[in-house]
Amino acid sequence: MSRSKLTILFSVVISVIFLDFFLFRYSFWLLPNESSWGADYFYNFLHEFKTFEKISKQKFRVLVIGSSVTGYSINPKDLEKELRKVTGKDLDIIFLSYAGMPPLDAYLMKDQFLSLSPDLIVYPVNFVDWRLYRAYVLDPKNGKNETAEESKLILDALDFRDAPQSKIIFPLESLLEFWDLIGLEKSAEYLAASIFGSYRYKEIYWKISTSLYEHRFGRNTSFREYNGVDIPEKVTFRGWTGKVFSFQPKPYMARKGFYIQVVEEVLKDGKFILELENFSHTVKQTFEFKSPGWKKILLDPRFLDPGEKDHWIRAEVSNTWIPYFAGPEHKDWALDILGVRLQQIFGKEDDLSLLDRRPVREERLEDLRFLGMSDKEYEEYFYFRLLTDLKKRPGLQYIQVLADSKKKIAKEKFRPILHFRYMKKLISFFKEKDLPFLLINNPENPVSLSWYGDSEWYKEHLSYLKEISGGGDNFVDLSRDLPSTDFWDFHHLTYEGTHKMNSKYASLISKFVE
C-alpha cells in the first residue's frame, strides 16, 4: 500500500476516533440532566460520577454505592441534612446506585470509586444483591448454591441481556478480569465498548437525546416516569392522579395549554368531566370528553390574574378507575383509585432549568398504599400485588423465583460463592487503601424474611459479612428494623420507610466522621 493511501487511511481512523470521542464521551455529558429519578439508572449513575469527578473535594466525602436496594433506601439530600444535625458539619454525599448492581460490579468499579477521593464507603445490601436465585434459574431441577459452578454464574452475571452495565459502565475492567473465561467474541465486544463511546453508550445516548427533544419540541406524553412539579395529593410514578389534585397555574398553560390522558375505563356514562376551580372560588372551568386519549387543556387566563397567580387550582374528575379492573392496556394488580395522567414535565415547561438537577426520589401515590393497614391487611395485599396470577404477568415472574429461592436457601449450607467472594475482595481493596467501609445488611420485609430469616444459612451469612468487614462499626444488621408496611415488596422501601431510616443511616455514618 502506497504512503498516500496509508496517510488517508490513518487520517480517516483518527477522524472517526476523534468524532466518536467528541460526540459520545465529551459533548453528550455536557447536556443538562433532565431525566427523572428512575428513568434511566445507568445514565444517572454515570452522570453523577462524571459530575463529582470534576469537583475537587472540600468536605468529608461519603460515597454511597449499591443496587436499587440502596436507591430506594437513601435520599442523598435528606441524609446530608440529617448528618449536619448529628455531626454539626457539612458533608458531601455522592450517591452511585443503579438497579441490579451486585458486589461483582462494585469490585470492577473499585478504581473509579477510589478516584472520587471518598473518606467513607457505604454499601447497603440485601438478599437480592447476592444473585443467589440465579443458581436455581440456570438449573431448575437440581440447582443449589452449595454446588453451583462459579464460572457459569460469572458468565450469567456478564450476560448483556440481563446485565448491560458491564458493557456500558466498566467494559475494560470486565475484559481484564475475565478475558480467559468469556471467549473471543465477547472479548471483542468489551474491547469495542472500551474504545468507542458510540458503541458503549448508544442505548442511553438515543434515549436521553430523544427525551431532551421531547421536552423542548414535543407534547411530553411519551415517558416512563413522571418528572413534573410536585402535586400535593401526589401522583403515581407514571403520572396518574387521584380523583382530586391541585396545581399552580403557569403562563404556558393559558398560552399553549397542557395535556392529560383520559382512559376508556372512566367513560362509564359515555362522558368524562374535569372541573377546575381556584381556591377563592372566583374562576371555574369545565371540560367534557367522550373518547379516550391525550386531551388538550387550555387554561382560562383568569386563573393567572395578578391576585390569583400564586394561588392553587383544584381539579376534580367525575369518574375514577382501578388498574386491577382495567382492560389489557392498563391492567395491573393494584387497587389504587386513579383519575387522569399528567404530562411528563407538567408545570415545568416555562422553566426547563428546573429539570436540570440531581435526580431525587419523590413521594408518589404508590408510597401511600399501605399507610394505616394492619399486618394482616398488608400481607393480603402483598400476596395479591406480587404473587398472584404470575402466568399472566411475565414481567413479575422473577418475584416468584426470588421468593422460591429464599425458601430453598433456608435448607442449604452457607457457601460464600461469587458475589460474597467479590465483596470480600472489594472490602480488602479499600482496607489496603486505609479507606473505611461500612457494610449494611439492609432492612427486609418481615413477610419475606420469615421464609428464611431464622435458618442456619441466614445466621452464617451474617457471620461471614461481619467477618469480612472487620465487625465493630464496619458492619450492622438492620434486617428487622422496619415493619412490613414500610416496604413496596421484599426489600424496596416506601418513601416513609426511607424517611424512617434516614436518622439510623446518619447515626452509623457519623461514627466515621472526623
Side-chain angles (χ1 to χ4, degrees):
M1 187 179 290
S2 65
R3 179 177 295 179
S4 60
K5 290 182 178 179
L6 282 173
T7 301
I8 293 172
L9 179 61
F10 179 76
S11 299
V12 169
V13 171
I14 293 299
S15 298
V16 168
I17 292 176
F18 174 78
L19 187 62
D20 176 88
F21 177 87
F22 180 75
L23 288 177
F24 293 90
R25 293 183 184 270
Y26 177 72
S27 300
F28 176 57
W29 300 101
L30 296 179
L31 295 174
N33 182 5
E34 297 180 0
S35 63
S36 54
W37 175 72
D40 194 297
Y41 288 112
F42 297 148
Y43 171 72
N44 283 326
F45 177 92
L46 288 166
H47 196 281
E48 185 82 346
F49 174 79
K50 292 177 182 295
T51 297
F52 276 94
E53 191 178 33
K54 302 172 186 175
I55 300 174
S56 59
K57 188 173 73 172
Q58 304 293 331
K59 314 170 192 175
F60 189 94
R61 182 170 278 185
V62 179
L63 175 58
V64 183
I65 62 176
S67 67
S68 60
V69 169
T70 299
Y72 275 80
S73 300
I74 295 175
N75 187 317
K77 287 188 176 181
D78 289 344
L79 184 57
E80 286 178 359
K81 291 178 183 177
E82 191 65 31
L83 280 165
R84 192 178 301 119
K85 291 179 186 177
V86 175
T87 66
K89 299 180 180 180
D90 286 326
L91 281 68
D92 275 338
I93 304 295
I94 303 179
F95 193 75
L96 296 179
S97 164
Y98 59 75
M101 181 203 291
L104 171 60
D105 290 14
Y107 177 78
L108 294 174
M109 292 184 284
K110 62 187 185 301
D111 291 317
Q112 292 167 272
F113 294 152
L114 193 62
S115 71
L116 297 176
S117 303
D119 295 295
L120 171 67
I121 306 286
V122 180
Y123 197 162
V125 294
N126 195 271
F127 179 89
V128 69
D129 293 311
W130 309 114
R131 290 178 63 87
L132 300 169
Y133 61 93
R134 297 305 299 173
Y136 308 120
V137 172
L138 296 175
D139 186 0
K141 186 177 291 186
N142 301 308
K144 285 187 176 183
N145 280 280
E146 287 179 349
T147 57
E149 188 176 331
E150 190 169 276
S151 60
K152 291 183 178 179
L153 293 175
I154 291 174
L155 291 174
D156 178 63
L158 297 175
D159 189 323
F160 293 151
R161 293 169 299 178
D162 190 45
Q165 65 267 23
S166 61
K167 182 171 68 174
I168 296 172
I169 300 177
F170 42 88
L172 182 60
E173 292 81 1
S174 299
L175 175 62
L176 295 177
E177 183 77 12
F178 300 114
W179 62 270
D180 58 340
L181 181 64
I182 59 179
L184 185 60
E185 183 178 342
K186 195 150 193 173
S187 294
E189 290 188 78
Y190 280 132
L191 183 60
S194 302
I195 297 173
F196 297 105
S198 54
Y199 179 66
R200 180 174 179 175
Y201 301 127
K202 60 183 179 181
E203 288 87 359
I204 60 175
Y205 182 90
W206 292 114
K207 184 188 297 184
I208 298 303
S209 299
T210 300
S211 178
L212 289 173
Y213 180 87
E214 179 76 4
H215 291 167
R216 283 152 181 77
F217 307 108
R219 297 195 312 179
N220 290 294
T221 57
S222 176
F223 62 93
R224 175 181 171 185
E225 187 174 280
Y226 180 74
N227 197 22
V229 296
D230 183 42
I231 302 298
E233 299 81 5
K234 307 306 173 187
V235 297
T236 70
F237 275 94
R238 302 286 186 177
W240 294 99
T241 72
K243 181 175 177 59
V244 175
F245 62 99
S246 52
F247 62 95
Q248 287 185 297
K250 305 291 182 180
Y252 83 89
M253 297 177 178
R255 185 178 68 251
K256 65 176 183 177
F258 62 91
Y259 289 85
I260 61 168
Q261 185 179 4
V262 175
V263 293
E264 60 184 10
E265 285 79 7
V266 296
L267 296 168
K268 302 171 184 176
D269 304 317
K271 63 181 180 180
F272 173 79
I273 297 173
L274 170 67
E275 294 183 342
L276 305 179
E277 183 179 14
N278 63 1
F279 277 29
S280 60
H281 309 293
T282 57
V283 184
K284 296 183 180 181
Q285 196 171 12
T286 301
F287 298 87
E288 183 177 309
F289 305 103
K290 296 183 178 180
S291 62
W294 284 95
K295 308 297 182 180
K296 186 174 182 178
I297 304 295
L298 194 61
L299 202 65
D300 188 327
R302 290 180 299 164
F303 282 114
L304 293 164
D305 288 346
E308 301 292 342
K309 65 179 181 180
D310 294 328
H311 294 184
W312 291 77
I313 293 176
R314 181 183 186 274
E316 183 170 357
V317 299
S318 58
N319 304 323
T320 57
W321 63 286
I322 296 175
Y324 182 66
F325 301 109
E329 184 178 355
H330 302 290
K331 175 80 171 182
D332 189 14
W333 275 249
L335 301 176
D336 304 312
I337 299 174
L338 306 179
V340 296
R341 192 183 193 195
L342 304 178
Q343 292 169 285
Q344 185 199 19
I345 59 171
F346 177 78
K348 295 182 178 179
E349 290 195 31
D350 275 338
D351 188 1
L352 294 176
S353 64
L354 294 171
L355 296 170
D356 187 13
R357 56 184 171 79
R358 293 173 70 183
V360 294
R361 181 183 177 188
E362 297 176 326
E363 191 172 34
R364 299 293 184 229
L365 276 177
E366 292 94 336
D367 290 304
L368 308 178
R369 282 175 179 158
F370 315 121
L371 295 181
M373 281 189 181
S374 66
D375 289 343
K376 181 180 179 181
E377 289 171 330
Y378 175 86
E379 190 165 349
E380 289 176 354
Y381 199 106
F382 174 91
Y383 279 98
F384 164 74
R385 177 81 182 99
L386 299 174
L387 296 169
T388 299
D389 298 328
L390 292 184
K391 290 183 179 180
K392 300 177 184 178
R393 307 157 70 190
L396 277 188
Q397 287 183 8
Y398 84 97
I399 291 288
Q400 183 66 64
V401 171
L402 196 57
D404 291 343
S405 67
K406 293 187 178 191
K407 296 169 185 175
K408 290 178 180 179
I409 204 76
K411 301 174 184 177
E412 293 190 32
K413 292 181 180 179
F414 175 72
R415 176 191 174 200
I417 194 172
L418 186 54
H419 296 293
F420 287 111
R421 186 167 63 84
Y422 273 97
M423 178 64 85
K424 181 178 181 179
K425 293 179 69 173
L426 178 68
I427 293 174
S428 296
F429 171 80
F430 287 120
K431 278 184 178 179
E432 291 173 3
K433 306 296 181 182
D434 292 322
L435 181 55
F437 193 102
L438 171 58
L439 181 61
I440 301 173
N441 188 44
N442 221 47
E444 179 162 354
N445 193 322
V447 176
S448 59
L449 189 60
S450 68
W451 301 333
Y452 74 125
D454 293 325
S455 67
E456 285 303 310
W457 182 93
Y458 197 84
K459 294 172 185 176
E460 289 178 23
H461 117 278
L462 289 179
S463 297
Y464 177 81
L465 297 183
K466 184 176 182 180
E467 176 189 339
I468 63 174
S469 63
D473 292 333
N474 299 103
F475 174 71
V476 62
D477 176 24
L478 303 178
S479 57
R480 303 175 192 272
D481 274 34
L482 289 176
S484 56
T485 50
D486 287 328
F487 292 87
W488 268 50
D489 48 27
F490 301 161
H491 46 264
H492 293 126
L493 306 187
T494 64
Y495 194 86
E496 178 64 18
T498 301
H499 180 71
K500 287 181 181 179
M501 290 302 299
N502 206 35
S503 60
K504 296 187 179 184
Y505 292 131
S507 176
L508 295 170
I509 292 171
S510 67
K511 297 175 183 178
F512 296 88
V513 179
E514 297 174 353

